[in-house]
Amino acid sequence: MPSTGTSGAGASKKKMNGYVGFSNYPNQVHRRSVKRGFNFTLMVVGESGLGKTTLINTLFESKVYPQKDTEEARSGRTSPQTGT
């Protein structure tokens, strides 16, 4: 009887891309996290006007946290739309 190339019922061979082993595990976790996405909490503290919002927006290359209107922030007035 000719061999089909598989050993066992329903077993199939999979070609491995790259090195497989414990030393590659951090890379595998990183790729999986980037693919699936992840949540984390980040707290940045400091005085007003030091660039905390700019730092966060720069790190993530997007407007994660919108900047306040600079004139409104300097005068301490509240926004009529939000009431804050």
Side-chain angles (χ1 to χ4, degrees):
M1 187 175 221
S3 175
T4 60
T6 60
S7 61
S12 65
K13 291 185 178 183
K14 182 175 180 181
K15 184 177 182 198
M16 298 294 170
N17 296 329
Y19 178 74
V20 177
F22 287 112
S23 64
N24 196 37
Y25 185 69
N27 296 332
Q28 294 171 3
V29 171
H30 177 263
R31 280 195 307 270
R32 189 179 325 127
S33 297
V34 169
K35 188 176 181 180
R36 291 182 183 170
F38 53 92
N39 294 322
F40 63 94
T41 303
L42 177 68
M43 181 170 74
V44 180
V45 295
E47 294 181 27
S48 177
L50 294 179
K52 297 177 296 292
T53 301
T54 303
L55 172 69
I56 298 300
N57 289 338
T58 302
L59 282 175
F60 296 102
E61 296 180 349
S62 64
K63 299 288 183 184
V64 175
Y65 189 77
Q67 293 182 343
K68 295 179 184 176
D69 182 23
T70 54
E71 189 156 326
E72 182 180 302
R74 278 190 231 130
S75 67
R77 290 181 286 154
T78 59
S79 173
Q81 290 87 3
T82 61
T84 58

